């Protein structure tokens, strides 16, 4: 069951431009959403999160937008840098489950071209 | 910066053999997790562990799997009798509390032949 979906397996963006990574979810119980970044041969590292009571959270070059009615979130990276090239995972969890279990999407591989 | 440490980085085993994957979570963290990623697929939750007991597990985590915190620092995942489909990258993670970002180790690549 694909409760968290990232429909774009890959994305290429020019350095300095905006990268937009998209994610859809199906489980209405999810109320906390996260983005993780993963480099080869490393574990995922936390990037940014958003609670369902918000529709936007910003941290430097990274902004996450949440559209609850559409069950959609997106990660914006502005400006994109070559070091941002990695696989980005969207993830979701729920207070009802005590936030014990995080459900991940399949990832989007971002390539930022210098 | 403190980090989650996993050993070994690669483990090759024969089908039917037992394997133990080891993790040292960040020292002041209280919640520990195992996730896995089969090649080309999503990262999947296996189990969460708190206060010396399993707090939640997925349907993947069947009787062949077990976890243990044998001392104050290590957290292990044991697969009793490995199957070919257990081949995956296994990630350990920890958090100081729930509703916190997961800190992942760099993973153990398990190959079952």
């Amino acid at each position: 069951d694909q409760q968290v979906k990232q429909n774009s397996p890959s994305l290429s963006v020019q350095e300095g431009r905006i990268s937009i990574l998209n994610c859809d979810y199906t489980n209405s119980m999810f109320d906390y959403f996260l983005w993780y970044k993963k480099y080869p041969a490393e574990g995922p590292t936390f990037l940014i999160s958003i609670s369902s009571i918000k529709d936007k959270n910003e941290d430097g070059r990274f902004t996450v937008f949440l559209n609850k009615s559409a069950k959609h979130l997106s990660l914006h990276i502005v400006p994109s840098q070559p070091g941002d090239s990695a696989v980005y995972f969207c993830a979701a969890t729920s207070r009802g489950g005590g936030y014990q279990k995080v459900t991940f999407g399949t990832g989007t591989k971002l390539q930022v071209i210098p | 910066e403190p980090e989650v440490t996993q050993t070994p980085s690669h483990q090759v085993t024969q089908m039917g053999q037992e394997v133990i994957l080891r993790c040292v979570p960040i020292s002041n963290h209280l919640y520990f997790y195992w996730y896995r990623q089969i090649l080309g697929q999503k990262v999947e939750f296996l189990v969460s562990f708190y206060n010396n007991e399993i707090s939640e597990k997925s349907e993947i985590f069947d009787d062949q799997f077990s976890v243990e915190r044998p001392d104050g620092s290590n957290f292990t995942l044991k697969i009793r009798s490995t199957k070919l489909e257990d081949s995956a990258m296994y990630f350990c993670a920890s958090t100081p509390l729930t509703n916190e970002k997961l800190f992942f180790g760099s993973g153990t690549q398990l190959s079952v032949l």
Side-chain angles (χ1 to χ4, degrees), chain A residues 36-85:
Chain A
Y36 283 83
K37 180 168 74 172
K38 185 182 181 302
Y39 294 117
E42 295 184 12
T45 55
F46 171 79
L47 195 56
I48 193 169
S49 62
I50 188 167
S51 164
S52 61
I53 62 173
K54 295 186 176 181
D55 54 20
K56 177 183 174 181
N57 188 26
E58 192 171 349
D59 183 2
R61 296 185 297 114
F62 302 92
T63 304
V64 56
F65 296 91
L66 175 62
N67 182 336
K68 287 190 294 293
S69 60
K71 293 191 175 70
H72 177 84
L73 62 154
S74 61
L75 174 68
H76 292 209
I77 306 173
V78 183
S80 301
Q81 299 174 354
D84 296 329
S85 297

Short mmCIF file of all heavy atoms in Angstrom, two decimals, chain A residues 36-85:
data_model
loop_
_atom_site.label_atom_id
_atom_site.label_comp_id
_atom_site.label_asym_id
_atom_site.label_seq_id
_atom_site.Cartn_x
_atom_site.Cartn_y
_atom_site.Cartn_z
N TYR A 36 13.32 14.00 4.23
CA TYR A 36 14.66 13.53 4.51
C TYR A 36 15.46 13.56 3.23
O TYR A 36 14.93 13.35 2.14
CB TYR A 36 14.63 12.08 5.05
CG TYR A 36 14.21 11.97 6.50
CD1 TYR A 36 12.87 11.95 6.86
CD2 TYR A 36 15.17 11.89 7.51
CE1 TYR A 36 12.50 11.85 8.18
CE2 TYR A 36 14.79 11.79 8.84
CZ TYR A 36 13.45 11.78 9.16
OH TYR A 36 13.08 11.68 10.48
N LYS A 37 16.75 13.78 3.39
CA LYS A 37 17.68 13.78 2.26
C LYS A 37 18.63 12.60 2.44
O LYS A 37 19.07 12.31 3.57
CB LYS A 37 18.45 15.10 2.24
CG LYS A 37 19.44 15.23 1.13
CD LYS A 37 19.94 16.66 1.03
CE LYS A 37 20.89 17.02 2.12
NZ LYS A 37 21.51 18.35 1.88
N LYS A 38 18.96 11.94 1.35
CA LYS A 38 19.86 10.79 1.46
C LYS A 38 20.91 10.85 0.38
O LYS A 38 20.60 10.88 -0.82
CB LYS A 38 19.07 9.48 1.37
CG LYS A 38 19.95 8.24 1.60
CD LYS A 38 19.15 6.96 1.46
CE LYS A 38 20.04 5.75 1.72
NZ LYS A 38 21.21 5.69 0.82
N TYR A 39 22.18 10.82 0.82
CA TYR A 39 23.31 10.68 -0.09
C TYR A 39 23.66 9.20 -0.20
O TYR A 39 23.38 8.41 0.72
CB TYR A 39 24.52 11.45 0.41
CG TYR A 39 24.35 12.95 0.43
CD1 TYR A 39 24.38 13.66 1.63
CD2 TYR A 39 24.17 13.68 -0.74
CE1 TYR A 39 24.24 15.04 1.66
CE2 TYR A 39 24.02 15.05 -0.72
CZ TYR A 39 24.06 15.73 0.48
OH TYR A 39 23.91 17.09 0.51
N PRO A 40 24.30 8.79 -1.29
CA PRO A 40 24.72 7.40 -1.43
C PRO A 40 25.58 6.94 -0.26
O PRO A 40 26.39 7.72 0.25
CB PRO A 40 25.52 7.41 -2.74
CG PRO A 40 24.99 8.57 -3.50
CD PRO A 40 24.63 9.60 -2.47
N ALA A 41 25.38 5.73 0.18
CA ALA A 41 26.17 5.10 1.24
C ALA A 41 25.99 5.79 2.60
O ALA A 41 26.80 5.61 3.51
CB ALA A 41 27.65 5.03 0.88
N GLU A 42 24.94 6.59 2.74
CA GLU A 42 24.63 7.21 4.02
C GLU A 42 23.18 6.94 4.38
O GLU A 42 22.36 6.62 3.51
CB GLU A 42 24.89 8.72 3.98
CG GLU A 42 26.34 9.10 3.78
CD GLU A 42 26.54 10.60 3.83
OE1 GLU A 42 25.62 11.32 4.25
OE2 GLU A 42 27.63 11.05 3.45
N GLY A 43 22.86 7.11 5.66
CA GLY A 43 21.47 7.01 6.06
C GLY A 43 20.74 8.31 5.75
O GLY A 43 21.36 9.35 5.51
N PRO A 44 19.42 8.27 5.71
CA PRO A 44 18.65 9.51 5.50
C PRO A 44 18.94 10.52 6.61
O PRO A 44 19.12 10.14 7.77
CB PRO A 44 17.20 9.02 5.56
CG PRO A 44 17.25 7.56 5.30
CD PRO A 44 18.55 7.09 5.86
N THR A 45 18.97 11.79 6.26
CA THR A 45 19.12 12.85 7.26
C THR A 45 17.91 13.78 7.18
O THR A 45 17.43 14.11 6.10
CB THR A 45 20.41 13.66 7.06
OG1 THR A 45 20.42 14.17 5.72
CG2 THR A 45 21.64 12.82 7.27
N PHE A 46 17.46 14.17 8.35
CA PHE A 46 16.28 15.03 8.44
C PHE A 46 16.56 16.38 7.80
O PHE A 46 17.63 16.97 7.99
CB PHE A 46 15.92 15.21 9.91
CG PHE A 46 14.86 16.25 10.15
CD1 PHE A 46 13.53 15.96 9.94
CD2 PHE A 46 15.22 17.52 10.58
CE1 PHE A 46 12.56 16.92 10.17
CE2 PHE A 46 14.26 18.48 10.81
CZ PHE A 46 12.93 18.19 10.60
N LEU A 47 15.56 16.87 7.08
CA LEU A 47 15.70 18.17 6.43
C LEU A 47 14.76 19.20 7.02
O LEU A 47 15.17 20.24 7.52
CB LEU A 47 15.42 17.99 4.94
CG LEU A 47 15.82 19.06 3.98
CD1 LEU A 47 17.29 19.38 4.08
CD2 LEU A 47 15.48 18.63 2.55
N ILE A 48 13.47 18.91 6.98
CA ILE A 48 12.47 19.86 7.42
C ILE A 48 11.18 19.12 7.69
O ILE A 48 10.95 18.05 7.12
CB ILE A 48 12.27 20.99 6.37
CG1 ILE A 48 11.47 22.16 6.93
CG2 ILE A 48 11.65 20.43 5.09
CD1 ILE A 48 11.49 23.39 6.02
N SER A 49 10.34 19.66 8.56
CA SER A 49 9.07 19.01 8.87
C SER A 49 7.96 20.04 8.94
O SER A 49 8.21 21.26 8.98
CB SER A 49 9.17 18.26 10.20
OG SER A 49 9.43 19.15 11.26
N ILE A 50 6.73 19.55 8.97
CA ILE A 50 5.57 20.42 9.10
C ILE A 50 4.45 19.66 9.79
O ILE A 50 4.21 18.49 9.51
CB ILE A 50 5.12 20.97 7.73
CG1 ILE A 50 4.04 22.04 7.91
CG2 ILE A 50 4.66 19.85 6.80
CD1 ILE A 50 3.77 22.83 6.63
N SER A 51 3.82 20.36 10.71
CA SER A 51 2.65 19.80 11.38
C SER A 51 1.41 20.12 10.56
O SER A 51 1.38 21.11 9.83
CB SER A 51 2.53 20.42 12.77
OG SER A 51 1.26 20.20 13.31
N SER A 52 0.39 19.31 10.73
CA SER A 52 -0.83 19.51 9.94
C SER A 52 -1.60 20.77 10.33
O SER A 52 -2.53 21.16 9.64
CB SER A 52 -1.74 18.29 10.07
OG SER A 52 -2.13 18.10 11.41
N ILE A 53 -1.20 21.40 11.43
CA ILE A 53 -1.88 22.65 11.80
C ILE A 53 -1.31 23.84 11.03
O ILE A 53 -1.84 24.95 11.14
CB ILE A 53 -1.80 22.91 13.31
CG1 ILE A 53 -0.35 23.09 13.77
CG2 ILE A 53 -2.48 21.79 14.08
CD1 ILE A 53 -0.22 23.53 15.22
N LYS A 54 -0.25 23.60 10.28
CA LYS A 54 0.36 24.66 9.49
C LYS A 54 0.22 24.34 8.01
O LYS A 54 -0.04 23.20 7.63
CB LYS A 54 1.83 24.80 9.84
CG LYS A 54 2.11 25.25 11.26
CD LYS A 54 3.60 25.49 11.45
CE LYS A 54 3.88 26.05 12.83
NZ LYS A 54 5.34 26.31 13.01
N ASP A 55 0.41 25.36 7.18
CA ASP A 55 0.43 25.09 5.75
C ASP A 55 1.77 25.44 5.11
O ASP A 55 1.99 25.20 3.92
CB ASP A 55 -0.71 25.80 5.02
CG ASP A 55 -0.74 27.29 5.30
OD1 ASP A 55 0.29 27.84 5.72
OD2 ASP A 55 -1.80 27.92 5.09
N LYS A 56 2.68 25.97 5.93
CA LYS A 56 3.99 26.33 5.40
C LYS A 56 5.01 26.34 6.53
O LYS A 56 4.71 26.78 7.64
CB LYS A 56 3.90 27.72 4.75
CG LYS A 56 5.21 28.26 4.22
CD LYS A 56 5.01 29.67 3.66
CE LYS A 56 6.32 30.31 3.26
NZ LYS A 56 6.13 31.70 2.75
N ASN A 57 6.19 25.84 6.21
CA ASN A 57 7.30 25.94 7.15
C ASN A 57 8.57 26.21 6.35
O ASN A 57 8.81 25.55 5.34
CB ASN A 57 7.45 24.66 7.98
CG ASN A 57 8.46 24.82 9.10
OD1 ASN A 57 8.70 25.92 9.59
ND2 ASN A 57 9.05 23.70 9.52
N GLU A 58 9.33 27.16 6.82
CA GLU A 58 10.50 27.61 6.07
C GLU A 58 11.75 27.47 6.93
O GLU A 58 11.75 27.80 8.12
CB GLU A 58 10.29 29.07 5.67
CG GLU A 58 11.25 29.61 4.66
CD GLU A 58 10.82 31.00 4.17
OE1 GLU A 58 9.69 31.42 4.47
OE2 GLU A 58 11.63 31.65 3.50
N ASP A 59 12.83 27.03 6.30
CA ASP A 59 14.11 26.93 7.00
C ASP A 59 15.20 27.21 5.98
O ASP A 59 15.61 26.33 5.23
CB ASP A 59 14.28 25.54 7.62
CG ASP A 59 15.57 25.42 8.42
OD1 ASP A 59 16.32 26.42 8.54
OD2 ASP A 59 15.84 24.32 8.95
N GLY A 60 15.64 28.45 5.97
CA GLY A 60 16.68 28.83 5.02
C GLY A 60 16.21 28.70 3.58
O GLY A 60 15.19 29.26 3.19
N ARG A 61 16.94 27.90 2.82
CA ARG A 61 16.58 27.72 1.41
C ARG A 61 15.44 26.73 1.20
O ARG A 61 14.98 26.53 0.07
CB ARG A 61 17.81 27.23 0.63
CG ARG A 61 18.98 28.20 0.59
CD ARG A 61 20.11 27.70 -0.30
NE ARG A 61 20.70 26.46 0.19
CZ ARG A 61 20.63 25.31 -0.44
NH1 ARG A 61 19.98 25.21 -1.59
NH2 ARG A 61 21.22 24.24 0.07
N PHE A 62 15.02 26.08 2.27
CA PHE A 62 14.03 25.00 2.17
C PHE A 62 12.68 25.45 2.74
O PHE A 62 12.61 25.99 3.84
CB PHE A 62 14.52 23.77 2.94
CG PHE A 62 15.85 23.25 2.45
CD1 PHE A 62 17.03 23.68 3.04
CD2 PHE A 62 15.91 22.34 1.40
CE1 PHE A 62 18.26 23.21 2.58
CE2 PHE A 62 17.13 21.87 0.95
CZ PHE A 62 18.31 22.31 1.53
N THR A 63 11.64 25.22 1.96
CA THR A 63 10.28 25.51 2.40
C THR A 63 9.40 24.32 2.08
O THR A 63 9.46 23.78 0.97
CB THR A 63 9.72 26.75 1.69
OG1 THR A 63 10.60 27.86 1.92
CG2 THR A 63 8.33 27.09 2.22
N VAL A 64 8.61 23.92 3.06
CA VAL A 64 7.64 22.85 2.82
C VAL A 64 6.25 23.46 2.87
O VAL A 64 5.94 24.26 3.76
CB VAL A 64 7.81 21.69 3.83
CG1 VAL A 64 7.72 22.15 5.27
CG2 VAL A 64 6.80 20.59 3.55
N PHE A 65 5.43 23.09 1.90
CA PHE A 65 4.04 23.53 1.82
C PHE A 65 3.14 22.32 2.00
O PHE A 65 3.41 21.26 1.43
CB PHE A 65 3.75 24.18 0.46
CG PHE A 65 4.52 25.44 0.20
CD1 PHE A 65 5.76 25.40 -0.42
CD2 PHE A 65 4.00 26.67 0.59
CE1 PHE A 65 6.47 26.57 -0.66
CE2 PHE A 65 4.70 27.84 0.36
CZ PHE A 65 5.94 27.79 -0.27
N LEU A 66 2.07 22.51 2.76
CA LEU A 66 1.12 21.43 2.99
C LEU A 66 -0.27 21.88 2.57
O LEU A 66 -0.76 22.92 3.02
CB LEU A 66 1.11 21.03 4.47
CG LEU A 66 0.08 19.98 4.90
CD1 LEU A 66 0.32 18.66 4.18
CD2 LEU A 66 0.12 19.78 6.41
N ASN A 67 -0.90 21.09 1.72
CA ASN A 67 -2.29 21.32 1.31
C ASN A 67 -3.10 20.12 1.80
O ASN A 67 -3.14 19.06 1.15
CB ASN A 67 -2.37 21.45 -0.21
CG ASN A 67 -3.78 21.73 -0.70
OD1 ASN A 67 -4.76 21.40 -0.04
ND2 ASN A 67 -3.89 22.35 -1.86
N LYS A 68 -3.72 20.29 2.96
CA LYS A 68 -4.41 19.15 3.59
C LYS A 68 -5.60 18.68 2.78
O LYS A 68 -5.88 17.49 2.70
CB LYS A 68 -4.85 19.51 5.01
CG LYS A 68 -3.71 19.60 6.01
CD LYS A 68 -4.22 19.70 7.42
CE LYS A 68 -4.97 20.99 7.69
NZ LYS A 68 -4.07 22.17 7.62
N SER A 69 -6.32 19.62 2.19
CA SER A 69 -7.52 19.21 1.44
C SER A 69 -7.14 18.35 0.24
O SER A 69 -7.87 17.45 -0.14
CB SER A 69 -8.31 20.44 1.00
OG SER A 69 -7.52 21.25 0.17
N ALA A 70 -5.99 18.65 -0.34
CA ALA A 70 -5.54 17.86 -1.48
C ALA A 70 -4.65 16.70 -1.06
O ALA A 70 -4.23 15.90 -1.91
CB ALA A 70 -4.77 18.74 -2.46
N LYS A 71 -4.35 16.61 0.22
CA LYS A 71 -3.41 15.60 0.73
C LYS A 71 -2.11 15.64 -0.06
O LYS A 71 -1.62 14.62 -0.59
CB LYS A 71 -4.03 14.20 0.70
CG LYS A 71 -5.20 14.00 1.65
CD LYS A 71 -5.57 12.53 1.76
CE LYS A 71 -6.64 12.29 2.78
NZ LYS A 71 -7.95 12.80 2.37
N HIS A 72 -1.56 16.83 -0.13
CA HIS A 72 -0.38 17.05 -0.95
C HIS A 72 0.60 17.95 -0.21
O HIS A 72 0.20 18.92 0.45
CB HIS A 72 -0.80 17.74 -2.27
CG HIS A 72 0.36 18.08 -3.15
ND1 HIS A 72 0.93 17.17 -4.01
CD2 HIS A 72 1.06 19.23 -3.30
CE1 HIS A 72 1.93 17.74 -4.66
NE2 HIS A 72 2.02 19.00 -4.25
N LEU A 73 1.87 17.60 -0.31
CA LEU A 73 2.89 18.50 0.19
C LEU A 73 4.02 18.62 -0.82
O LEU A 73 4.17 17.75 -1.70
CB LEU A 73 3.41 18.10 1.58
CG LEU A 73 4.12 16.78 1.81
CD1 LEU A 73 5.05 16.91 3.02
CD2 LEU A 73 3.12 15.69 2.10
N SER A 74 4.72 19.71 -0.70
CA SER A 74 5.83 19.94 -1.62
C SER A 74 7.00 20.56 -0.87
O SER A 74 6.82 21.23 0.14
CB SER A 74 5.40 20.83 -2.79
OG SER A 74 4.98 22.09 -2.32
N LEU A 75 8.17 20.29 -1.39
CA LEU A 75 9.41 20.86 -0.85
C LEU A 75 10.01 21.76 -1.92
O LEU A 75 10.20 21.32 -3.06
CB LEU A 75 10.40 19.75 -0.50
CG LEU A 75 11.79 20.19 -0.06
CD1 LEU A 75 11.73 20.89 1.29
CD2 LEU A 75 12.75 19.00 0.00
N HIS A 76 10.25 23.01 -1.56
CA HIS A 76 10.87 23.95 -2.46
C HIS A 76 12.29 24.24 -1.98
O HIS A 76 12.50 24.53 -0.78
CB HIS A 76 10.08 25.26 -2.50
CG HIS A 76 8.73 25.11 -3.14
ND1 HIS A 76 8.12 26.16 -3.80
CD2 HIS A 76 7.88 24.06 -3.23
CE1 HIS A 76 6.94 25.74 -4.27
NE2 HIS A 76 6.78 24.48 -3.93
N ILE A 77 13.22 24.19 -2.90
CA ILE A 77 14.61 24.51 -2.58
C ILE A 77 15.00 25.69 -3.48
O ILE A 77 15.00 25.58 -4.71
CB ILE A 77 15.55 23.32 -2.85
CG1 ILE A 77 15.05 22.06 -2.12
CG2 ILE A 77 16.97 23.66 -2.39
CD1 ILE A 77 15.84 20.80 -2.47
N VAL A 78 15.30 26.82 -2.83
CA VAL A 78 15.65 28.02 -3.58
C VAL A 78 16.80 28.76 -2.89
O VAL A 78 16.64 29.12 -1.71
CB VAL A 78 14.45 28.99 -3.70
CG1 VAL A 78 14.81 30.20 -4.54
CG2 VAL A 78 13.23 28.28 -4.26
N PRO A 79 17.91 29.07 -3.56
CA PRO A 79 18.26 28.54 -4.87
C PRO A 79 18.86 27.15 -4.75
O PRO A 79 19.47 26.82 -3.73
CB PRO A 79 19.31 29.56 -5.34
CG PRO A 79 19.97 30.00 -4.07
CD PRO A 79 18.92 29.98 -3.01
N SER A 80 18.71 26.36 -5.76
CA SER A 80 19.28 25.01 -5.74
C SER A 80 20.80 25.08 -5.91
O SER A 80 21.32 25.91 -6.67
CB SER A 80 18.69 24.17 -6.87
OG SER A 80 17.28 24.10 -6.73
N GLN A 81 21.49 24.20 -5.20
CA GLN A 81 22.94 24.14 -5.26
C GLN A 81 23.37 22.71 -5.63
O GLN A 81 22.66 21.75 -5.31
CB GLN A 81 23.54 24.53 -3.91
CG GLN A 81 23.20 25.93 -3.46
CD GLN A 81 23.67 26.24 -2.05
OE1 GLN A 81 24.17 25.36 -1.35
NE2 GLN A 81 23.53 27.49 -1.65
N PRO A 82 24.53 22.56 -6.24
CA PRO A 82 24.98 21.20 -6.61
C PRO A 82 25.02 20.24 -5.42
O PRO A 82 24.74 19.05 -5.56
CB PRO A 82 26.38 21.45 -7.18
CG PRO A 82 26.31 22.83 -7.75
CD PRO A 82 25.42 23.60 -6.80
N GLY A 83 25.34 20.75 -4.23
CA GLY A 83 25.36 19.92 -3.02
C GLY A 83 24.00 19.41 -2.61
O GLY A 83 23.89 18.52 -1.74
N ASP A 84 22.96 19.95 -3.22
CA ASP A 84 21.60 19.47 -2.92
C ASP A 84 21.29 18.18 -3.68
O ASP A 84 20.25 17.56 -3.44
CB ASP A 84 20.56 20.52 -3.30
CG ASP A 84 20.68 21.79 -2.48
OD1 ASP A 84 21.11 21.72 -1.31
OD2 ASP A 84 20.37 22.87 -3.02
N SER A 85 22.15 17.80 -4.58
CA SER A 85 21.92 16.58 -5.36
C SER A 85 21.91 15.38 -4.42
O SER A 85 22.90 15.08 -3.76
CB SER A 85 23.01 16.41 -6.43
OG SER A 85 22.96 17.48 -7.36
#
